[in-house]
Amino acid sequence: MNVQTLEQPATVWMVNDVPARMVFAGKRWRVTDMPTRLRDSIWSVPLEAPHPLYGWRFQGTNDAGESYVFDVYKGERGWHVHHTYA
């Protein structure tokens, strides 16, 4: 398994507070598995936020059929991809 640690911005669209699709690295990604909420993480947002969220792990597939697993978190300036798994 190839793991890359990144700090790259992403745009994540949610459906019922769960990731459904993302734009990252100039590509569109569809969430193609059941996303897992990441807890007990250093990526946490303040608990007083409206929807406390630490991060998500999900498989994304682009239009070319490439699939990767992404760890994403939401910081002060929006969503970021922290890890990718090939």
Side-chain angles (χ1 to χ4, degrees):
M1 177 182 296
N2 183 10
V3 178
Q4 292 185 12
T5 300
L6 311 167
E7 283 295 325
Q8 297 293 321
T11 302
V12 178
W13 284 268
M14 310 288 268
V15 173
N16 296 323
D17 292 326
V18 176
R21 54 191 177 103
M22 170 176 75
V23 171
F24 169 68
K27 297 180 181 179
R28 296 178 188 180
W29 301 88
R30 289 183 282 75
V31 175
T32 52
D33 73 345
M34 178 62 70
T36 301
R37 191 173 292 217
L38 300 174
R39 295 207 178 268
D40 301 321
S41 168
I42 61 169
W43 314 332
S44 63
V45 295
L47 293 176
E48 60 273 2
H51 299 287
L53 176 68
Y54 294 88
W56 291 94
R57 177 174 290 156
F58 56 82
Q59 177 180 288
T61 303
N62 65 21
D63 292 337
E66 298 173 302
S67 293
Y68 297 93
V69 173
F70 297 95
D71 287 351
V72 300
Y73 72 97
K74 189 172 185 180
E76 290 180 12
R77 295 187 177 134
W79 288 97
H80 287 80
V81 173
H82 186 71
H83 287 110
T84 62
Y85 306 88

